[in-house]
Amino acid sequence: MITHKVFKYLVQHWHGKGGYRQVLFLAFPLIFSSTAMAVQQFVDRMFLAWYSSEAIAATMSAGILNFTVINLFVGTAGYVGTFVAQFWGADQEDRIGPIIWQGGYVAAAAALVHLLMIPLAGPFFRLVGHEPVVQNLEVIYFQIICLGAGPGVASAVLAGFFLGRGKTLYVMTVSIAGTIINMFFNYVLIFGSLGFPEMGVTGAAIATLISTLFIFTVFSILVFRSAHEKTYRTHSGWRLDVPLFIRLLRFGLPNGVQFFLSHMSIAAFILLVGRLGTVELAATSIAFNINMLAFMPMIGFGMAVMILVGQNQGQERPDLSERSIYSGFLLTYIYMTTIALLYVIVPHMFLWPFAVKADPGSFAPIYRTTTILLRFVAVYCLFDTLSIIFASGIKGAGDTRFVMIAIAFLSLFGLGLPTYIALVHLNQGLYTAWTIITIYISLLGFIFMFRFLGRKWKTMRVIETREPVLPAAVHIEPALSDES
C-alpha cells in the first residue's frame, strides 16, 4: 500500500512544469558540466599525488586561495545567468545582451585584481607557515593560475547567456572539451611526455591556464555570433548601462560575497590544518577532492533549480518556482544519500586512484587518515543538500542578501574562529577540526531550509518591471450634425 502511494506520488510529480522530468532534463547537462569540472580537479590532484606529497599539499592550499578570491567575482558576474533567466521569462530578450556586457566589466576587474596579487604570493605563503618546500610550490602554482582569472570569470558570464535560457547542452559540451584539454596537458606537463619537459606543479598550473583560455575562446565565439544581435543585442549592448550595472551589483555582489566568504572559510580551514603537518594537509586535500567529485553533480541540480526559479519568477509564477525547488531537492537527496553510503562502505574505491602510483611508504599514513575523514564527509554531505538546493532556489528569486549574511555569520563564528581556537590555542588535532566543519555545514543546511519555508522569496524579482507600451491614441473627428 505504501509502495503504491509512493509510486502514485512520483508519477503525479513527474510531468508538467517544475516536475521531476523538467528538472532532470535541465539538470543532466549541468550535472555533466559540473562533473567535468570536478573530474578536471580530481585528475589534477591525482597526478600531483603521484608526483609527490608536497605537490598535492601545495596545490590544494594555493588553489583554494585562488578559488576563494576569484569566486567573489564569479559569484557577482555569474549572477548574470539569473538576470538572463528572468529577462527570458518576462519576454525582455533585448536586455540579455546588455546584462552580459555588464558582467564582462566585472570580469575585467577580476583580471586586474589577480594581476596585483601575483607579487604578494611569496609574503603571504611565508606568513602562513607551511614547510619551506611546500611554500615554494604554493607560490609558483598560485602566481600562474592568477593569470587565468579574467578569462575564467568572463566564461562564467558567457555561460549565463545559455544557462538563463535553459540551453544547457552548450555549457556541457564546452566544459567537457575544456576538461579533456586540461587532463591531456596535465599529464604531459607534470610528468614530461610527448616531448614536453617534466614540470611538476608548474606544469599543472599551465595546463589549467590553457584550459581556461580555451573555454573562454569557445564561449566568446558562440555568444557573439551575428545571429544573436537582432534578438539579444549581444554587440550593440556593449556600453556601460549604469542602472543595469548597479542592479547587477545589488543582487550579484551579495552572491559573490557569499561565494567568497564560504570559500574563504574553507581556505582558512585548510591553511590551519596545514599547520598540523603534511600528512594532515594532504589527507584533507584528498578528502575534499573526493567529495568535490561527488558534490559537483549536486551543484548541477542547484543550477537547474536556480534557472527554473528565475524563469518562473520572470513569468510571475512563484508556485512553479516552489514546485521546481521541491523536485530538485528530492532528486538531489536520493543521489547524495547513495554517495554517503559509498563513502562509509567502500572508501577504498575513492582512494585507489590517488594511491595506485604514489610512493607506498609516504602515502600509507595519508591513506589511513583520509579513510576516516570520508566518514565526516558522509555525514555533512546529507545536510549540504539542504544548503545547495534551498539556497539556489531563493537566490534564483533574488534573495541573495540573506544568503550572504548567513554565510558571513556562520563562516566566522561557526567555522573560522572555532577551528582557530581548537587548533592553535587548545592544541586539538585533525578530527576535532573536521567535527567543527561538519557541524558548520549542517547548520547552514537548516538555515536555508527555514528561509525557503518562510516564503519571503516568492515576492522577489531581480529585473525591473517594464511598463506596458500603449498604442498611440487614434484621433476621431466629431460627426457633423444635420443642423450644420
Side-chain angles (χ1 to χ4, degrees), residues 14 19 26 32 49 74-75 85 119 122 129 150 172 183 224 232-233 239 245 251 254 270 275 330 358 400 417 441 477:
W14 175 259
L26 191 63
F32 281 108
V74 169
M172 179 192 73
M183 291 167 61
F224 295 109
Y232 306 111
R233 296 175 57 214
R239 293 176 178 81
F245 184 76
F251 291 99
I270 291 172
R275 296 170 64 95
L330 181 60
T400 56
L417 283 178
I441 293 174
E477 292 289 342

Side-chain angles (χ1 to χ4, degrees), residues 45 48 54-64 137-138 141 201 204:
R45 303 297 190 266
L48 290 165
E54 292 80 11
I56 179 65
T59 52
M60 185 61 186
S61 53
I64 197 72
L137 296 177
E138 286 171 332
Y141 189 80
V201 167

Side-chain angles (χ1 to χ4, degrees), residues 143-404:
Q143 289 179 331
I144 294 174
I145 61 176
C146 274
L147 298 174
V153 176
S155 295
V157 173
L158 297 174
F161 174 78
F162 299 104
L163 293 175
R165 298 180 302 127
K167 310 296 183 181
T168 54
L169 283 173
Y170 287 93
V171 179
M172 179 192 73
T173 304
V174 176
S175 298
I176 291 176
T179 296
I180 293 172
I181 288 174
N182 180 269
M183 291 167 61
F184 170 77
F185 281 104
N186 254 319
Y187 185 81
V188 299
L189 293 178
I190 290 174
F191 300 104
S193 182
L194 301 179
F196 289 92
E198 179 183 330
M199 302 176 70
V201 167
T202 301
I206 292 174
T208 299
L209 182 58
I210 292 172
S211 174
T212 301
L213 293 174
F214 168 82
I215 291 173
F216 168 69
T217 301
V218 174
F219 270 138
S220 297
I221 293 171
L222 292 173
V223 170
F224 295 109
R225 290 183 296 173
S226 57
H228 289 150
E229 165 60 19
K230 182 178 180 181
T231 304
Y232 306 111
R233 296 175 57 214
T234 51
H235 297 166
S236 57
W238 65 270
R239 293 176 178 81
L240 179 65
D241 185 330
V242 175
L244 186 58
F245 184 76
I246 292 174
R247 202 170 185 86
L248 173 60
L249 293 183
R250 175 186 168 191
F251 291 99
L253 187 57
N255 190 56
V257 171
Q258 173 240 311
F259 273 36
F260 172 77
L261 291 175
S262 59
H263 286 92
M264 184 177 70
S265 63
I266 298 297
F269 178 84
I270 291 172
L271 293 172
L272 286 169
V273 167
R275 296 170 64 95
L276 299 174
T278 300
V279 170
E280 289 82 357
L281 179 56
T284 296
S285 300
I286 292 173
F288 275 132
N289 273 277
I290 290 173
N291 182 45
M292 184 173 291
L293 189 61
F295 172 83
M296 292 307 286
M298 183 165 60
I299 293 294
F301 278 112
M303 292 170 66
V305 166
M306 196 168 176
I307 292 166
L308 290 173
V309 170
Q311 292 178 347
N312 291 325
Q313 293 299 104
Q315 295 173 359
E316 304 287 355
R317 291 297 306 272
D319 57 317
L320 294 180
S321 296
E322 186 174 32
R323 188 171 189 235
S324 300
I325 294 170
Y326 277 124
S327 296
F329 171 71
L330 181 60
L331 292 169
T332 309
Y333 203 79
I334 292 171
Y335 164 76
M336 286 308 296
T337 300
T338 304
I339 294 298
L341 289 173
L342 292 176
Y343 284 153
V344 175
I345 297 171
V346 286
H348 309 297
M349 178 179 71
F350 299 97
L351 280 164
W352 175 81
F354 293 93
V356 65
K357 287 193 176 183
D359 176 67
S362 62
F363 195 76
I366 297 173
Y367 190 101
R368 290 192 298 269
T369 304
T370 309
T371 300
I372 298 173
L373 296 186
L374 285 178
R375 298 172 190 170
F376 287 94
V377 176
V379 174
Y380 76 58
C381 69
L382 297 177
F383 298 97
D384 217 9
T385 305
L386 300 174
S387 180
I388 295 299
I389 298 303
F390 291 123
S392 296
I394 63 176
K395 286 196 298 181
D399 197 6
T400 56
R401 189 173 299 176
F402 175 84
V403 178
M404 177 190 70

Side-chain angles (χ1 to χ4, degrees), residues 69-80 98-117 145-160 212-213 216 219-220 224 240 245 248-249 252-253 256:
V69 179
I70 199 174
N71 265 286
L72 174 62
F73 298 96
V74 169
T76 303
Y79 200 71
V80 160
I99 192 62
I100 293 293
W101 279 99
Q102 309 316 302
Y105 298 133
V106 178
L112 178 60
V113 168
H114 281 77
L115 288 175
L116 295 174
M117 289 171 59
I145 61 176
C146 274
L147 298 174
V153 176
S155 295
V157 173
L158 297 174
T212 301
L213 293 174
F216 168 69
F219 270 138
S220 297
F224 295 109
L240 179 65
F245 184 76
L248 173 60
L249 293 183
L253 187 57

Side-chain angles (χ1 to χ4, degrees), residues 15-81:
H15 299 286
K17 290 187 175 182
Y20 302 125
R21 184 178 181 275
Q22 186 185 32
V23 173
L24 282 172
F25 181 80
L26 191 63
F28 263 126
L30 295 173
I31 290 170
F32 281 108
S33 175
S34 301
T35 302
M37 296 171 60
V39 167
Q40 176 177 315
Q41 295 187 39
F42 182 89
V43 172
D44 186 10
R45 303 297 190 266
M46 181 181 71
F47 287 159
L48 290 165
W50 295 355
Y51 194 77
S52 72
S53 298
E54 292 80 11
I56 179 65
T59 52
M60 185 61 186
S61 53
I64 197 72
L65 176 62
N66 175 269
F67 196 59
T68 298
V69 179
I70 199 174
N71 265 286
L72 174 62
F73 298 96
V74 169
T76 303
Y79 200 71
V80 160

